[in-house]
Amino acid sequence: MKALILVAGPGSRLKSVAGETPKSLIEINGKALLDRQIETMTALGVKRICLATGFRHEVFASRYGERVDFRYNPFYRDCNNIVSFLFARDWMTGDDLLVCYGDLIYDPELLAAAIQSPADIGLVVDRSRVEEGHALVSLKDAAVAAVGPSVPAESADARFVGITKLSAAAVSHLMPATEAALRAGKLRDYYLAGIQILMEQGHRVEPIDVSGLRWSEIDLPADLAAARALWGSHREK
């Protein structure tokens, strides 16, 4: 198992509280979000980690050095993570893979659920949090039917947590699907556009439900304040 962490975005909506600090390096309880993810992944047996960088690449390179691999997206200001994902296409092949957003903090059991899932393609979801304005998931016959920010809240069953588990075979299918999405003009989409194409082609995508476990995604100053309140009010595991 290896992991790609998407950290290219400038996090412009957090600039008022983070300044020029990449949002994955924002600290909660004295530890950066990305440090937490890397430590959790290593503890759970993830063998290789790659950072898909863009904004302030030099900060990540200096901080992590040879501990991780890097794939740099020079177009990070003009696109969404679908492009950063594809810049790492050569690195992702040959093994089972986790794809994770860099602005997450979560209970280790959440990542363990993804790693242990037998799904060929699995999306980590939380059925207790259908929150408009985020990537939502609709389910049909116990499988994912649609995923992304365009899924209406009234027809959604869960929120996408920001972690995908892929078998090595699924990675090989996802690459051309994601490239097709990009050719269709989805420059500002998430890499989830490729997964949506796979579903339309008949590939089964499983939900990995982590409802009840703690997790936060930090996009806005309010998210950061809520995460600091949540994670500061519980003993770290």
Side-chain angles (χ1 to χ4, degrees):
M1 178 72 70
K2 55 187 180 179
L4 176 71
I5 308 178
L6 302 168
V7 297
S12 55
R13 291 179 292 178
L14 281 166
K15 191 167 185 178
S16 63
V17 293
E20 292 300 306
T21 300
K23 63 179 179 175
S24 61
L25 297 182
I26 290 173
E27 293 188 357
I28 293 180
N29 281 359
K31 185 178 290 187
L33 298 175
L34 187 54
D35 289 349
R36 291 172 182 271
Q37 281 218 75
I38 290 173
E39 288 176 10
T40 299
M41 289 173 176
T42 302
L44 291 174
V46 175
K47 301 300 184 185
R48 294 180 61 197
I49 296 170
C50 179
L51 303 183
T53 62
F55 177 67
R56 304 213 66 190
H57 165 80
E58 72 284 355
V59 173
F60 294 100
S62 175
R63 185 182 185 109
Y64 297 104
E66 296 182 358
R67 293 168 53 196
V68 302
D69 298 319
F70 297 93
R71 293 296 183 273
Y72 172 65
N73 170 16
F75 309 111
Y76 66 89
R77 291 194 183 276
D78 303 312
C79 61
N80 209 326
N81 67 35
I82 186 171
V83 175
S84 298
F85 178 82
L86 286 173
F87 264 99
R89 61 166 71 81
D90 67 305
W91 186 90
M92 288 187 280
T93 59
D95 201 351
D96 291 353
L97 178 72
L98 298 170
V99 183
C100 303
Y101 292 167
D103 57 357
L104 298 174
I105 178 171
Y106 46 75
D107 285 327
E109 294 88 347
L110 187 151
L111 191 68
I115 292 171
Q116 295 163 9
S117 170
D120 194 41
I121 307 171
L123 300 184
V124 178
V125 305
D126 188 335
R127 298 194 68 164
S128 70
R129 293 173 58 176
V130 177
E131 298 162 337
E132 197 167 7
H134 298 279
L136 299 180
V137 174
S138 63
L139 304 174
K140 183 178 181 181
D141 300 326
V144 176
V147 59
S150 63
V151 176
E154 58 269 21
S155 62
D157 299 287
R159 179 177 166 185
F160 176 54
V161 171
I163 300 174
T164 300
K165 182 260 178 175
L166 301 160
S167 70
V171 172
S172 67
H173 294 305
L174 183 55
M175 290 303 108
T178 310
E179 289 167 356
L182 192 60
R183 287 195 300 272
K186 297 183 182 294
L187 183 70
R188 296 189 179 275
D189 275 37
Y190 299 95
Y191 76 93
L192 297 172
I195 292 178
Q196 187 65 47
I197 288 175
L198 288 184
M199 289 189 286
E200 293 166 0
Q201 293 174 347
H203 292 266
R204 184 176 177 87
V205 177
E206 305 279 355
I208 303 170
D209 187 7
V210 295
S211 301
L213 294 177
R214 292 182 303 159
W215 66 278
S216 303
E217 182 181 8
I218 316 298
D219 281 321
L220 302 167
D223 298 331
L224 180 57
R228 283 177 168 157
L230 173 65
W231 295 87
S233 64
H234 292 76
R235 179 177 295 177
E236 296 282 355
K237 295 185 177 182

